[in-house]
């Protein structure tokens, strides 16, 4: 070989057409068609190098458009300079075109000097000089000079010389190996589809561990449009030469839908064994593959059953085999018994910009004057290659005004090609999983995972397994205990709901757009199709709800009216006094600043799981107490006018009660044991005089009772069998004494040391701090008595601002500021 190879690839190289061919052969037919060229072509084909060769004998005077297209779609050009190459004007035109493609696309050119002196080609001497003498009689001077310049340039590129590399078979083998090396380097760096792919290739090659003889199966996992297919193709191209048998099945699901899974199985076996496999020979073919070292790539496998039928397991392939499977579904890869799984994540901003620019501007950076619009597109695509390519192709060559129009459209509707690809993951879900996904995409993105699971379970869904499936299918993920969904997938989910009824929002299952909700509720346009409404109240003007709006939505299971700054008591939603009932199907009723004194009389809340009405105008929930057998969470915090709540025994499954800041509330009680209660917040209930309920909340590991600033509390009962009373909580600066009862299987009143106290005995609060008995300390978890304790408690001025915490660690201690802050963060703002 003459020196080292040379290629031109400037940073600003323009990319027009994705390469289709690995190699383009340029040769003089009468010199080499039936000898050297045919041998070289055969050697390239044996290595599965996609090669374009023009076999036509009569080529005419001009290069055809088809041939020009083939040149533009080739990655490497091999120019075979033979004795009569320069005598063909066709060959010289082809050479000029090749060199232009080299400059334009940064492609490789490999000259092969077959039985000619490279110096004669470079300087047009010998037979090349004789050829130009004839050309000068037929063509203009500028054409002649173009051809001479092309020969000079091409001959200056290092290449192969048949006079120095012998025999001819060695020359062919050397050229083929040279091309394989160049393709290996250029496939990832020169092809515009490969932006940012090198790091993925390196990581997957590391997982493949090509040296050991054991069979390895590697999975590639990621959301739709993230680049798994491109990775599969690239890996096949890079690894093919290391395996005598290889097959790459792209878009396996489409192949299965088109021809069936048996046909696909026979297809890849035929490629691995390099022969047609009939049904009769299928079993023997499988056995033969078990003895072969193969590279098999299956792209886009959809189900676990497909993977079982197509590959079975490690034992179906010979030692050293490598199987690569790509899927959107992690569970498919687990069932494939993948040794390792590589996750394909979104592209970084720099690669996103380059990829989009290559499609939108046919160069690696944006055109001047488009930077602001490009930034908006990148924000929309969020690093998904499919979106970058589709939008780049759509916007290529268009004016700024057209770009702005498309971006405006994307705010309302997704691009259909992107939507269709992403929706394939949704189509693979069952009915309940689809409901869970649509609820999350439309309503719960960014919410805490546990809260969403509780709500979905309350709606009758199997949320835990459902969300695991959505994670496996790359539809959702979690970050710091919150639900994360890619913006394009969110938009896909919302578009699915819009398509339920394009022109009538009231006939869709979920409503989240504030303008659409405004129209539906104001004009009574809801129907039995509506299941969920989530209204950001701060986004709307005054909304006077039609009296029959909610009655027309009998299947409504979730109703959320949220204010950005609740507590200003300036609600934008006005309910008529004669509003007809809410849906009896409601499982979540979450309404900030509810504007009425009580809930509608004919509302039957038996299905409610959560009732959340912060900063409401409620005075009571109902005129007559209602049974709420499914209610788990009640939050009426800061409802200043709330005077009474029902007997909590009506809520037998209640787990959390938050009534903090209900300044008018006088009594909280239950006539029966609340076995599931774990959180009770009554902080700031200034008028509360009596807390009387039987529960084991204080003996739960997660139990917490807050009575911060309940300054009029006189009766306090919250244990399993007996009563604890307190007096003096209104006397903030007086000595505070408690009568404490804690009995385990006995009756009567005892002090902290077990002495019988009788009916009127009291214990100094100091005894709680210093002499907590072991029996009590093993049961009590959290009790907040902030501001129920006098300054004489000895907390150095902190008694009125910090928490007293009773631990199951046999002691009570005062909090330092840092500890109080930590505690406040752990339980949220509900304590204040």
């Amino acid at each position: 070989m003459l020196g080292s190879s040379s290629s031109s690839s400037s940073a600003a190289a323009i990319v027009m057409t994705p390469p289709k061919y690995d190699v383009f052969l340029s040769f003089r037919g009468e010199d080499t068609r039936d000898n050297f060229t045919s041998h070289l072509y055969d050697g390239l084909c044996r290595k599965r190098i996609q090669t374009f060769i023009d076999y036509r004998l009569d080529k005419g005077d001009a290069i055809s458009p088809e041939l020009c297209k083939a040149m533009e779609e080739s990655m490497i050009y091999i120019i075979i300079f033979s004795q009569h190459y320069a005598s063909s004007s066709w060959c010289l035109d082809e050479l000029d075109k090749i060199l232009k493609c080299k400059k334009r696309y940064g492609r490789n050119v490999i000259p092969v000097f077959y039985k000619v002196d490279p110096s004669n080609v470079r300087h047009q001497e010998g037979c090349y000089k004789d050829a130009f003498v004839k050309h000068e009689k037929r063509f203009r001077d500028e054409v002649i000079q173009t051809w001479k310049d092309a020969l000079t340039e091409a001959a200056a590129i290092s290449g192969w010389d048949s006079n120095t590399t012998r025999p001819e078979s060695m020359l062919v083998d050397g050229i083929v190996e040279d091309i394989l090396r160049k393709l290996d380097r250029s496939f990832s760096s020169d092809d515009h589809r490969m932006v940012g792919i090198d790091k993925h290739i390196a990581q997957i090659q590391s997982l493949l561990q090509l040296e050991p003889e054991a069979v390895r199966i590697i999975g590639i996992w990621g959301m739709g449009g993230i680049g798994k297919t491109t990775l599969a193709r690239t890996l096949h191209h890079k690894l093919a030469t290391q395996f005598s048998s290889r097959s790459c099945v792209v878009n396996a699901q489409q192949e299965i839908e088109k021809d069936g899974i048996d046909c696909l199985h026979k297809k890849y076996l035929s490629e691995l064994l390099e022969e047609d496999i009939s049904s009769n020979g299928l079993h023997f073919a499988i056995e033969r593959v078990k003895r072969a070292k193969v590279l098999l790539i299956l792209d886009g496998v959809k189900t676990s059953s497909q993977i079982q039928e197509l590959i079975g397991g490690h034992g179906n392939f010979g030692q050293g085999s490598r199987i690569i499977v790509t899927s959107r579904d992690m569970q498919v890869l687990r069932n494939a018994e993948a040794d390792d799984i590589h996750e394909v994540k979104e592209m970084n901003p720099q690669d996103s910009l380059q990829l989009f620019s290559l499609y939108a501007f046919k160069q690696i950076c944006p055109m001047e004057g488009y930077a602001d619009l490009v930034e908006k597109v990148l924000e929309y695509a969020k690093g998904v290659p499919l979106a970058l390519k589709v939008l780049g192709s759509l916007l290529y060559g268009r004016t700024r005004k057209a770009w702005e129009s498309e971006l405006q459209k994307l705010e309302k509707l997704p691009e259909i090609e992107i939507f269709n690809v992403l929706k394939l993951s949704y189509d693979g879900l069952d009915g309940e999983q689809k409901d869970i996904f649509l609820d999350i995409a439309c309503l719960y993105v960014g919410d805490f995972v546990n809260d969403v699971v509780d709500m979905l379970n309350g709606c009758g869904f199997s949320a835990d397994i459902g969300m695991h499936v959505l994670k496996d299918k790359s539809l959702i993920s979690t970050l710091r205990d919150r639900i994360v969904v890619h913006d394009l997938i969110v938009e896909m989910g919302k578009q699915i709901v819009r398509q339920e009824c394009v022109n009538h929002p009231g006939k869709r299952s979920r409503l989240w757009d504030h303008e659409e909700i405004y129209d539906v509720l104001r004009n009574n346009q809801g129907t039995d199709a509506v299941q969920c409404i989530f209204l950001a109240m701060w986004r709307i003007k005054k909304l006077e709800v039609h009296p029959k709006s909610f009655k027309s939505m009998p299947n409504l299971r979730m109703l959320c009216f949220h204010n950005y700054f609740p507590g200003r008591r300036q609600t934008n939603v006005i309910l008529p006094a004669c509003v007809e009932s809410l849906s009896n199907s409601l499982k979540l009723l979450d309404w900030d600043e509810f504007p009425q004194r009580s809930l509608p009389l004919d509302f039957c809340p038996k299905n409610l799981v959560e009732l959340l009405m912060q900063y409401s105008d409620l005075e009571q929930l109902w005129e007559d107490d209602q049974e709420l057998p499914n209610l788990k969470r009640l939050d009426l915090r800061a409802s200043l006018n709330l005077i009474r709540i029902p007997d909590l025994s009506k809520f037998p499954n209640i787990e959390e009660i938050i009534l903090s800041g209900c300044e008018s509330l006088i009594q909280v009680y239950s006539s029966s044991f609340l076995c599931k209660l774990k959180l009770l917040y009554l902080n700031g209930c200034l008028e509360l005089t009596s807390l009387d309920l039987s529960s084991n909340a204080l003996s739960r590991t997660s139990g917490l009772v807050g009575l911060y600033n309940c300054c009029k509390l006189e009766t306090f009962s919250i244990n399993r069998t007996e009563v604890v009373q307190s007096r003096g909580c209104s006397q903030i600066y007086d000595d505070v004494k408690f009568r404490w009862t804690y009995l385990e299987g006995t009756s009567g009143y005892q002090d902290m040391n077990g002495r019988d106290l009788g009916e009127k005995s009291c214990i100094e609060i100091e005894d709680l701090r210093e002499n907590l008995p072991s029996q009590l300390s093993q049961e009590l978890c959290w009790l907040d008595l902030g501001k129920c304790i006098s300054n004489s408690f000895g907390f150095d001025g902190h008694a009125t601002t910090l928490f007293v915490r009773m631990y199951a660690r046999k002691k009570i201690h005062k909090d330092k500021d840092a500890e109080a802050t930590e505690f406040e963060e752990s339980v949220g703002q509900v304590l204040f």
Side-chain angles (χ1 to χ4, degrees), residues 630-649:
N630 298 301
L631 191 68
K632 293 184 178 180
R633 189 166 187 240
L634 175 68
D635 185 351
L636 304 177
R637 78 182 73 176
S639 296
L640 301 180
N641 301 324
L642 187 68
I643 299 172
R644 64 175 292 271
I645 60 170
D647 179 351
L648 294 178
S649 66

Side-chain angles (χ1 to χ4, degrees), residues 229 234 244 368 564 571 603 630 696 743:
T229 299
T234 307
S244 58
E368 186 176 352
Y564 195 76
T571 181
F603 172 42
N630 298 301
N696 58 354
L743 301 176

Side-chain angles (χ1 to χ4, degrees), residues 342-526:
H342 174 77
E343 180 182 2
V344 187
K345 297 183 178 180
E346 295 87 351
M347 301 179 76
N348 63 41
Q350 295 78 15
D351 289 340
S352 296
L353 175 61
Q354 182 177 345
L355 182 62
F356 175 73
S357 297
L358 286 167
Y359 279 84
F361 305 108
K362 307 307 178 188
Q363 57 190 37
I364 63 173
C365 57
M367 288 175 56
E368 186 176 352
Y370 282 82
D372 58 327
L373 299 177
V374 169
E375 185 176 350
K376 291 180 180 179
V377 174
L378 298 184
E379 176 64 23
Y380 175 83
K382 291 284 176 57
V384 175
L386 171 70
L388 295 166
K389 294 176 183 180
V390 169
L391 294 176
S393 299
L394 177 66
L395 296 170
Y396 170 61
R398 301 189 187 275
T399 63
R400 271 189 64 94
K401 188 174 182 179
W403 279 56
E404 291 167 353
S405 178
E406 176 63 20
L407 288 168
Q408 185 180 25
K409 175 187 171 186
L410 290 174
E411 292 178 1
K412 298 178 291 184
L413 297 171
E415 180 58 38
I416 189 64
E417 186 176 346
I418 301 171
F419 171 79
N420 288 338
V421 171
L422 297 179
K423 187 173 177 286
L424 292 174
S425 297
Y426 171 83
D427 293 337
L429 303 173
D430 65 27
E432 181 174 296
Q433 292 161 359
K434 288 179 178 179
D435 275 329
I436 292 174
F437 168 71
L438 293 179
D439 275 7
I440 291 174
C442 298
L443 309 169
Y444 292 133
V445 175
D447 288 359
F448 282 106
V449 174
N450 289 340
D451 292 343
V452 175
V453 169
D454 289 344
M455 193 57 248
L456 292 171
N457 282 334
C459 290
F461 300 134
S462 301
D464 292 279
I465 183 62
M467 291 179 64
H468 274 292
V469 170
L470 298 185
K471 286 182 182 179
D472 285 347
K473 291 183 178 292
S474 310
L475 288 170
I476 69 170
S477 60
T478 58
L479 179 64
R480 292 191 288 272
D481 297 324
R482 291 182 181 270
I483 291 180
V484 178
V485 186
H486 194 283
D487 288 356
L488 293 178
I489 293 179
V490 169
E491 187 57 34
M492 179 265 289
K494 290 183 175 180
Q495 180 63 9
I496 289 171
V497 174
R498 292 189 196 102
Q499 289 179 346
E500 293 172 353
C501 190
V502 175
N503 297 319
H504 299 285
K507 296 181 180 180
R508 301 176 194 160
S509 60
R510 296 156 181 84
L511 299 176
W512 64 88
D513 183 272
H514 62 281
E515 294 179 351
E516 292 177 345
I517 295 173
Y518 182 91
D519 290 337
V520 168
L521 295 182
R522 187 173 186 273
N523 302 314
N524 188 26
Q525 295 175 348

Side-chain angles (χ1 to χ4, degrees), residues 33 119 122 174 211-212 298 323 334 356 386 388 395 457 486 505 513 608 613 638 646 673 702 727 747 770 794 815 819:
R33 178 184 291 111
S119 178
R122 185 180 303 117
E211 293 302 324
L298 296 175
I323 316 301
R334 294 192 193 105
F356 175 73
L386 171 70
L388 295 166
L395 296 170
N457 282 334
H486 194 283
D513 183 272
L608 273 180
M613 290 186 148
F673 185 71
S702 59
R727 71 165 179 82
S747 61
E770 302 294 342
D815 293 318
E819 291 177 326

Side-chain angles (χ1 to χ4, degrees), residues 647-652 669-675 693-695:
D647 179 351
L648 294 178
S649 66
K650 304 291 184 181
F651 315 154
Y669 76 100
S670 172
S671 61
S672 64
F673 185 71
L674 301 177
C675 62
L693 55 86
S694 184
S695 168

Side-chain angles (χ1 to χ4, degrees), residues 714-731:
E714 296 177 355
T715 302
F716 171 49
S717 168
I718 185 169
N719 62 38
R720 285 178 287 189
T721 55
E722 299 294 339
V723 177
V724 176
Q725 292 182 342
S726 66
R727 71 165 179 82
C729 282
S730 61
Q731 303 171 18

Side-chain angles (χ1 to χ4, degrees), residues 195-212:
V195 173
I197 204 171
D198 290 342
K199 60 183 179 182
H200 291 294
I201 295 296
Q203 291 167 4
I204 295 170
Q205 285 184 305
S206 174
L207 298 178
L208 284 168
Q209 300 177 20
L210 294 174
E211 293 302 324

